[in-house]
Amino acid sequence: MGIIMIFSVFANLNNRETEATAREMLSVLKETDCSVYFDEKYKALLSDSVCRFSDSAELMEICDIAVVIGGDGTTMKIAKKAAILGKAALGINGGRLGFLSGIEKNELQLLTDVANGAYQLDERIMLKVEIVEGKKTVKTFHCLNDAIFSRGDFARLIDIEVTSGGRELMTTRADGIIISTPTGSTAYSLAAGGPVLSPDLNCFEVTSICPHSLMDRSIVVGSNNRLIVKISSDVSNNAILTCDGEPPAAITSDTEVVVSLSPYKARLVKIKPDNFYEVMKKKLIDRRV
């Protein structure tokens, strides 16, 4: 008998491919000693399957592992929620790249290893991003990928100043900047020309977006740094902050944004022996899964 384990599945089962993946997953896990929970709104759809149901608000609390069927965006969203509760997350790639996914849809048999405890946890640091107005924190985000400061409605450059410990780290005029974790270094930061960082590093990466400069490179700083970002723009322009693709927040010249190390760590389930560089080669160079 394997380890008794509870999986909660987070997926949009109104998508036929996702539903098919969920059903195949249940077929694989029915021979194991584990319980699989879905959102109770899918009770009628899965009435012919051996699984359990719970209110969506409780799915994360009751599970040992949060299983996500979807792309990197969905996996990231669930992994962050799991991190706050000290839970692990396993992504089944239902999207394109699947950098955060532990397995592909054609590898579901590997779920039996997870049910039997044969897996590792890959811990990833996160950013804590605080919007400060008048010395008062008005909003806080926790980011697994990145915090993006960008121009708003008009195609005009904005002036950005980043300081740490009262000293200037970067001053640039650009479309924006990206502050990313090592996990986020393979996302927008990579597209903006930033370096790829191994996800086990404890650092942040600061990369300009289309800087008005002939000499501009990314800066990598230790995660013990507390970065303060201030942005100014012309009177008719504005700037926005977007954290992990969530709805943006407006940033004015009177706003300070403090970026530091989050107290939470994402814990991703790792089953396959591939290391980060092998995965990167498959996903970004060979484009195969």
Side-chain angles (χ1 to χ4, degrees):
M1 180 180 292
I3 298 172
I4 298 174
M5 187 172 291
I6 297 176
F7 296 99
S8 286
V9 182
F10 298 84
N12 176 17
L13 299 189
N14 295 319
N15 179 294
R16 289 187 177 182
E17 287 189 16
T18 303
E19 180 193 346
T21 301
R23 289 182 177 278
E24 186 177 348
M25 180 191 74
L26 287 170
S27 178
V28 169
L29 290 175
K30 70 180 180 181
E31 302 301 326
T32 67
D33 188 18
C34 68
S35 297
V36 184
Y37 281 81
F38 286 85
D39 191 317
E40 62 183 6
K41 68 182 179 182
Y42 297 122
K43 187 176 291 186
L45 181 66
L46 296 176
S47 60
D48 58 339
S49 301
V50 179
C51 58
R52 300 181 181 185
F53 302 91
S54 179
D55 180 82
S56 59
E58 297 178 355
L59 277 176
M60 188 66 75
E61 293 185 2
I62 64 175
C63 73
D64 296 304
I65 294 177
V67 178
V68 189
I69 305 175
D72 280 332
T74 306
T75 302
M76 179 170 59
K77 181 179 178 180
I78 298 303
K80 289 197 297 182
K81 290 182 178 180
I84 292 172
L85 292 176
K87 309 275 186 174
L90 168 63
I92 299 173
N93 186 21
R96 297 178 184 176
L97 287 177
F99 249 109
L100 298 178
S101 299
I103 59 175
E104 303 295 326
K105 289 188 289 187
N106 62 349
E107 299 173 326
L108 294 179
Q109 195 60 42
L110 292 174
L111 288 170
T112 57
D113 292 338
V114 182
N116 291 317
Y119 63 88
Q120 296 177 321
L121 290 178
D122 183 8
E123 291 194 338
R124 307 287 183 92
I125 66 168
M126 295 167 57
L127 301 174
K128 180 182 179 182
V129 182
E130 302 167 280
I131 299 177
V132 180
E133 295 178 355
K135 297 185 178 180
K136 180 181 179 181
T137 300
V138 296
K139 199 159 190 178
T140 301
F141 302 89
H142 294 277
C143 307
L144 179 53
N145 259 9
D146 48 36
I148 299 168
F149 302 81
S150 57
R151 58 178 173 79
D153 301 328
F154 300 100
R156 300 175 185 169
L157 301 178
I158 54 177
D159 293 301
I160 306 160
E161 178 189 71
V162 184
T163 59
S164 178
R167 296 181 178 273
E168 181 183 306
L169 180 71
M170 170 189 284
T171 299
T172 186
R173 171 165 267 205
D175 277 356
I177 65 165
I178 304 160
I179 301 180
S180 73
T181 64
T183 298
S185 72
T186 55
Y188 192 8
S189 183
L190 174 64
V196 172
L197 303 178
S198 176
D200 59 355
L201 295 175
N202 287 303
C203 59
F204 307 145
E205 178 180 318
V206 185
T207 301
S208 299
I209 305 170
C210 296
H212 192 242
S213 170
L214 292 175
M215 294 295 292
D216 191 288
R217 293 291 183 268
S218 299
I219 298 174
V220 178
V221 299
S223 61
N224 59 315
N225 283 269
R226 185 172 179 266
L227 308 181
I228 297 177
V229 182
K230 297 201 72 173
I231 295 178
S232 60
S233 57
D234 63 61
V235 68
S236 60
N237 200 9
N238 63 338
I240 57 175
L241 166 66
T242 306
C243 294
D244 280 351
E246 295 181 23
I251 300 297
T252 70
S253 58
D254 297 323
T255 305
E256 276 191 357
V257 180
V258 180
V259 181
S260 58
L261 181 66
S262 171
Y264 306 112
K265 284 188 177 182
R267 305 166 73 205
L268 304 178
V269 172
K270 177 178 172 59
I271 315 167
K272 297 185 291 184
D274 303 21
N275 67 29
F276 169 71
Y277 301 102
E278 290 171 325
V279 172
M280 182 179 66
K281 184 175 184 294
K282 290 178 183 178
K283 302 286 186 178
L284 291 179
I285 300 175
D286 298 343
R287 289 285 181 166
R288 70 174 190 267
V289 294

